[in-house]
Amino acid sequence: MKQSKVLNVAINNITMMELLQKLEYGGVVFTPNVNHIMQLQKKQQFYSVYQKADYIVCDSKIVLYASHFLNNPVKEKIAGSDLFPAFCNYYRHNENIKIFLLGSQSEVVKTAQRKINARIGRNIVVAAHSPSFGFEKNEQECEEIINLINASEATVLAIGVGAPKQEIWIAKYKQQLKKIKIFLAIGATIDFEAGYVKRSPRWMSEVGLEWLYRLISEPKRLWKRYVFDAIPFLLLILQQRLNLYSNPWSDAPQGDIDNWKKKTLSKIFQIRDQITSSNEDLQMTPEKEAALQEHIQAIAKILYEDAPVEETTTLAEIEQTVQKQIQKYVIPEVEVLLAKSS
């Protein structure tokens, strides 16, 4: 998947529709805006958590404009507040998609649940919960929330408690949410869905002025964010354009397992490319390419879950194990699929 680098954030260069299709197979979605990106310059934990996301998409027209200025343009803005209603609509007939809403005030999140379900025509939001202020620091409350989510039979967690709180919470508790396949960090979207906070007019959003509308609507809460983020962001973008920017966390350890996953997926797609390029008689179409990519992603996910990983396991041992699995499972599966589609 192509990426566009904006400072130290690698944004997936995909469209809304491409993302919606890919989410059928699960994944963690973060939506960086200018505030996120500036926090990623200062908070190493937040940066480390960001490296674990499956999809990082552009939440801001300002960030999109920055990508164009850097000559590596993002295809389109995919704000969390646009993605979530589009996600609900796209999967409205998929009974396997069951959403747990986490965030906002109790009355607000319940209203959002009711309105979303009425709009979609089924109870796609199966449960909703408003955590207390500072809940992320209370281990007992977090355990109670985990139990609520697991008991709800939800397969999607949409959490809107602000950044970096929501992203860090997902990373910390993801493994305990066994039934959740899709994680969406959606910020203020719950308030928008409930109708308690109005979004900017579409024309303002389209030209990159949504920040101004929100600033006028909530000046006390947002003025510092926009004043103290905007100017430093623009200066850093100029530095990147002049090749003077350096990632403050470039020397920070990213974690062997995460690196292994990225390397493995890269290797799998290399194999795909080798197979397709070596078969001159194979006439690839966009449909065949999409089917092949989905098939490989499903195989990759199985590899990640089945690979033996213990505390004493080294990265070299993991890579060796996965190489054997690739030779045993991936190559034959891909060759069979290509043979069927040719």
Side-chain angles (χ1 to χ4, degrees):
M1 192 186 309
K2 292 183 178 180
Q3 295 179 321
S4 178
K5 201 70 176 286
V6 177
L7 300 184
N8 57 352
V9 183
I11 298 174
N12 295 129
N13 204 355
I14 57 177
T15 65
M16 173 81 82
M17 185 55 63
E18 289 170 341
L19 176 60
L20 291 172
Q21 292 169 350
K22 290 176 182 296
L23 284 177
E24 182 178 355
Y25 303 96
V28 176
V29 183
F30 293 164
T31 60
N33 55 26
V34 172
N35 177 254
H36 281 219
I37 294 175
M38 291 310 297
Q39 289 193 68
L40 289 166
Q41 311 308 307
K42 308 166 190 174
K43 300 177 180 179
Q44 185 174 343
Q45 182 189 16
F46 192 27
Y47 177 78
S48 297
V49 164
Y50 244 79
Q51 309 317 302
K52 300 176 183 179
D54 297 296
Y55 302 102
I56 298 174
V57 294
C58 178
D59 187 271
S60 162
K61 274 285 186 179
I62 304 301
V63 174
L64 184 143
Y65 293 150
S67 72
H68 281 259
F69 178 70
L70 295 169
N71 295 321
N72 194 6
V74 171
K75 287 182 179 179
E76 67 177 82
K77 169 191 168 189
I78 308 177
S81 48
D82 292 324
L83 172 62
F84 182 70
F87 176 87
C88 293
N89 189 60
Y90 185 84
Y91 288 103
R92 66 190 309 150
H93 300 303
N94 187 335
E95 297 293 335
N96 293 322
I97 296 297
K98 305 171 186 176
I99 302 170
F100 190 104
L101 277 185
L102 178 63
S104 196
Q105 301 172 28
S106 181
E107 181 182 352
V108 176
V109 73
K110 292 295 183 182
T111 300
Q113 178 185 15
R114 186 171 63 254
K115 287 189 173 183
I116 293 165
N117 289 342
R119 184 178 73 241
I120 296 303
R122 72 176 179 93
N123 291 333
I124 191 171
V125 179
V126 295
H129 178 72
S130 171
S132 68
F133 181 77
F135 78 100
E136 74 281 2
K137 300 174 185 176
N138 185 330
E139 196 63 36
Q140 181 178 347
E141 182 174 357
C142 288
E143 289 299 325
E144 291 171 356
I145 292 171
I146 289 167
N147 291 335
L148 283 174
I149 296 171
N150 287 335
S152 73
E153 299 294 322
T155 57
V156 180
L157 174 62
I159 175 172
V161 295
K165 191 186 302 183
Q166 58 196 13
E167 290 83 6
I168 292 173
W169 201 89
I170 288 173
K172 184 175 181 180
Y173 296 106
K174 180 175 181 284
Q175 298 305 319
Q176 296 183 47
L177 301 170
K178 301 299 183 183
K179 298 174 185 177
I180 301 294
K181 304 300 181 185
I182 301 168
F183 297 81
L184 306 175
I186 58 173
T189 301
I190 295 173
D191 292 340
F192 295 145
E193 289 289 330
Y196 278 67
V197 175
K198 290 185 178 180
R199 290 199 64 185
S200 67
R202 180 169 291 277
W203 72 266
M204 293 188 77
S205 179
E206 289 298 322
V207 299
L209 290 176
E210 186 167 3
W211 66 271
L212 180 59
Y213 180 88
R214 293 194 65 191
L215 178 60
I216 294 171
S217 302
E218 302 177 84
K220 290 183 179 180
R221 188 174 75 86
L222 296 176
W223 77 269
K224 287 185 179 179
R225 175 193 295 186
Y226 291 129
V227 170
F228 291 110
D229 284 346
I231 296 175
F233 175 76
L234 296 175
L235 291 175
L236 288 174
I237 291 297
L238 181 59
Q239 286 183 20
Q240 184 177 353
R241 177 64 185 267
L242 298 174
N243 294 319
L244 299 175
Y245 170 79
S246 61
N247 181 358
W249 317 118
S250 57
D251 296 328
Q254 297 302 310
D256 281 351
I257 303 306
D258 286 336
N259 285 338
W260 158 66
K261 288 185 177 183
K262 290 176 182 177
K263 289 179 181 178
T264 304
L265 191 56
S266 175
K267 181 64 176 176
I268 289 171
F269 281 100
Q270 275 183 358
I271 292 170
R272 185 276 308 273
D273 292 338
Q274 289 170 2
I275 293 172
T276 55
S277 62
S278 63
N279 190 340
E280 295 179 355
D281 296 328
L282 182 63
Q283 296 180 346
M284 289 298 290
T285 65
E287 291 77 15
K288 291 178 183 178
E289 176 72 14
L292 176 58
Q293 192 152 313
E294 290 172 2
H295 190 67
I296 293 174
Q297 286 176 332
I299 294 172
K301 187 175 181 182
I302 293 170
L303 288 178
Y304 297 161
E305 292 173 350
D306 291 350
V309 179
E310 300 174 358
E311 291 184 5
T312 56
T313 305
T314 66
L315 178 59
E317 290 171 335
I318 293 171
E319 289 180 334
Q320 186 177 25
T321 300
V322 172
Q323 289 297 332
K324 291 179 181 178
Q325 290 178 314
I326 288 173
Q327 294 296 327
K328 185 176 180 181
Y329 298 110
V330 179
I331 293 178
E333 289 278 2
V334 173
E335 287 177 333
V336 168
L337 183 69
L338 290 174
K340 287 180 179 179
S341 64
S342 60

